[in-house]
Amino acid sequence: MKKIITTYACVFILTVAFAQSYDTIQTQPIIIANATIHIGDGTVIENGIIAFEKGVILFVGDARTVKYNPEGFEVIYAAGKHIYPGLIAPNTTLGLNELEAVRATNDMQEVGKFNPNVRSIVAYNTDSRVIPTLRTNGILFAQIVPVGGTISGTSSIVETDGWNWEDAAYKMDNGLQINWPSFNTYKWNNSYQVIENPDYVNTVSEIENYFQLALAYSKDETHTPVNLRFEAMQGVFNGEKKLFIHANGAKEITHAIHFAESIQITPVIVGGNEANLVLTLLKEKNIPVILERVHALPSRNDYDIDMAYKLPFILQQAGILYGISVSNGSEGFWNQRNLPFEAGTAAAYGLTKEEALQCITLNNAKILGIDSTAGSLEKGKDATLLICEGDILDMRTNKISTAFIRGRKVATENWQNALYEKYSKKYNLK
């Protein structure tokens, strides 16, 4: 995968202003008091206090009972406001795309079918003008995922603030991405007709054979000659990497789970449009699911029109670990800013507000394997959090006043805000 760095001279100053903060570490301990704290695990502290130093949370509790010495701390009084964990956007090409119509700015796909050695992290562009728009809505982590082919490559988790990809990297090469073939395809005969995919069986066999070869390679201590593709897959077999299988249909999900079981791996299903049809299997095998788009039309003709909206509630009721992402298709990068509002829609269709928050914070952290340090506001975890004027899941009140990544303040403005302010003044709109 080629590394692309594109500089737009006409907006250089504006881009730099919003691309990253100037601090790289927390320089002063901070206390935030009197806000409503949403822990991320379903717990809410109405009049809460939280303190953090050197990027780590020192304590979280009720401001009326916690005793503390504010000497040496910067104290922020946030009465009437809400504190949330940084939101986590899985399954995105953020930083790999910039302008969809300009091919030179799109670096999310490699040629060929099997590319497990491709690393999305080295192509991640921290100067993307899209990234600040995510921070504006509270998204402080993102899983950067390559696309295309059968095995797209390895994904990494980044913080949405950093001078370069090395700074932004939070957990590198955490997962291998597989695109499971679709059981059905379409044929044109005066109209589109659904037919069985004639290449389905062969493609599945190719995946199975490829993994068997990689497994045999991993057991060979000599590794002569060295195969870079198989080297990149060793982490899947020894547990260092997760296996993310993109599958939507009930048949595809079932086949993907049985395939992973045959090589003794517990996968993560990404997509899961028909996960409601295989709830028993998902629960029995303890398979987590990253749902792809809540704001979507039903995937089957016999589905209720609001099936995508209520699917998170169905998985919640079934006791399945799940998270929410935004589509990783053509809108897989800029549309990520709507992540909290997709969770908000799920809250309107069965979930409680805290359950909806959890599926874009702690649940996603568990699925991505970063829950020991991120996803909730607990003592000892990274101080990655934000202060919001109102309900973060409601686009009317989602107004982030301050955000912290590992304790350091980061910019919450973006170039769209700047243009709004500029022309509001020009035309006296305020």
Side-chain angles (χ1 to χ4, degrees):
M1 179 178 286
K2 59 184 182 301
K3 177 82 176 284
I4 293 178
I5 300 177
T6 306
T7 301
Y8 301 95
C10 62
V11 294
F12 179 76
I13 295 176
L14 188 61
T15 301
V16 170
F18 300 132
Q20 67 279 312
S21 63
Y22 292 99
D23 291 332
T24 56
I25 59 173
Q26 182 181 356
T27 56
Q28 182 180 7
I30 295 173
I31 291 174
I32 309 173
N34 305 125
T36 299
I37 300 180
H38 303 260
I39 300 298
D41 62 359
T43 305
V44 179
I45 304 175
E46 293 294 341
N47 185 8
I49 183 170
I50 184 169
F52 45 95
E53 183 179 13
K54 296 180 180 178
V56 177
I57 296 174
L58 299 178
F59 61 82
V60 185
D62 191 322
R64 295 166 295 186
T65 59
V66 172
K67 295 181 180 180
Y68 65 96
N69 181 4
E71 185 177 351
F73 284 78
E74 175 187 352
V75 181
I76 301 172
Y77 294 102
K81 298 182 181 180
H82 298 257
I83 298 176
Y84 295 94
L87 307 186
I88 303 170
N91 188 37
T92 172
T93 55
L94 178 72
L96 307 182
N97 289 42
E98 193 65 21
L99 302 173
E100 292 166 292
V102 181
R103 183 176 179 181
T105 69
N106 300 324
D107 193 15
M108 67 287 187
Q109 180 175 346
E110 186 58 271
V111 297
K113 295 177 67 175
F114 296 94
N115 296 298
N117 56 313
V118 166
R119 304 174 66 220
S120 61
I121 187 66
V122 298
Y124 180 67
N125 177 21
T126 54
D127 288 325
S128 168
R129 295 173 71 186
V130 180
I131 296 172
T133 68
L134 272 68
R135 286 201 306 266
T136 299
N137 283 352
I139 300 168
L140 302 183
F141 293 105
Q143 180 197 25
I144 309 306
V145 175
V147 299
T150 301
I151 300 180
S152 303
T154 59
S155 58
S156 293
I157 301 160
V158 300
E159 298 167 333
T160 56
D161 179 83
W163 287 99
N164 48 50
W165 67 261
E166 291 95 337
D167 285 345
Y170 191 76
K171 187 170 184 179
M172 288 200 293
D173 304 323
N174 78 305
L176 186 67
Q177 305 289 327
I178 295 182
N179 297 307
W180 200 260
S182 175
F183 186 80
N184 293 323
T185 187
Y186 297 93
K187 180 180 180 180
W188 176 259
N189 185 12
N190 296 322
S191 64
Y192 281 110
Q193 297 178 350
V194 178
I195 61 172
E196 288 189 11
N197 181 0
D199 296 324
Y200 180 79
V201 173
N202 288 337
T203 305
V204 171
S205 295
E206 287 179 346
I207 295 173
E208 293 173 342
N209 292 336
Y210 199 84
F211 268 81
Q212 289 299 329
L213 290 172
L215 180 60
Y217 179 89
S218 70
K219 295 178 180 179
D220 182 1
E221 297 181 358
T222 59
H223 294 161
T224 304
V226 173
N227 186 312
L228 294 181
R229 287 178 167 82
F230 290 164
E231 287 283 343
M233 295 176 68
Q234 290 192 64
V236 174
F237 300 117
N238 63 27
E240 294 178 357
K241 291 183 181 179
K242 290 179 175 284
L243 182 64
F244 295 86
I245 304 182
H246 297 248
N248 280 304
K251 292 179 180 178
E252 291 89 334
I253 294 172
T254 301
H255 294 165
I257 292 173
H258 289 320
F259 153 72
E261 187 177 32
S262 70
I263 51 176
Q264 299 181 333
I265 293 174
T266 300
V268 176
I269 297 297
V270 182
N273 287 349
E274 297 182 6
N276 58 299
L277 301 180
V278 288
L279 294 176
T280 302
L281 178 63
L282 292 170
K283 180 63 176 177
E284 178 187 338
K285 303 297 182 181
N286 197 29
I287 307 296
V289 178
I290 297 178
L291 295 175
E292 198 174 61
R293 294 188 68 184
V294 171
H295 294 167
L297 293 172
S299 59
R300 294 170 62 106
N301 293 334
D302 56 349
Y303 269 177
D304 294 340
I305 189 66
D306 56 0
M307 174 54 75
Y309 305 159
K310 62 187 181 183
L311 186 54
F313 177 67
I314 293 173
L315 295 183
Q316 179 79 27
Q317 292 294 98
I320 294 167
L321 177 61
Y322 69 97
I324 289 178
S325 73
V326 181
S327 173
N328 198 21
S330 61
E331 301 175 352
F333 61 110
W334 63 263
N335 201 30
Q336 296 294 326
R337 63 191 179 193
N338 290 324
L339 179 65
F341 311 137
E342 299 220 357
T345 297
Y349 281 81
L351 295 182
T352 66
K353 283 290 184 71
E354 297 309 312
E355 288 170 344
L357 173 66
Q358 190 169 339
C359 68
I360 54 174
T361 53
L362 187 56
N363 283 10
N364 277 345
K366 288 179 178 178
I367 293 171
L368 298 180
I370 58 173
D371 55 300
S372 62
T373 55
S376 61
L377 302 178
E378 301 175 60
K379 179 180 178 180
K381 286 194 173 185
D382 289 341
T384 299
L385 53 99
L386 48 93
I387 304 174
C388 185
E389 302 288 333
D391 183 355
I392 198 171
L393 304 182
D394 189 335
M395 65 179 65
R396 298 168 299 180
T397 59
N398 178 315
K399 185 177 180 181
I400 310 302
S401 56
T402 313
F404 303 88
I405 293 181
R406 280 192 279 182
R408 69 185 191 276
K409 291 182 182 179
V410 296
T412 56
E413 302 82 12
N414 61 65
W415 68 279
Q416 294 172 344
N417 297 139
L419 292 175
Y420 171 76
E421 294 293 333
K422 174 181 177 180
Y423 289 103
S424 292
K425 292 178 181 179
K426 176 177 175 59
Y427 295 107
N428 298 316
L429 298 178
K430 285 192 171 183

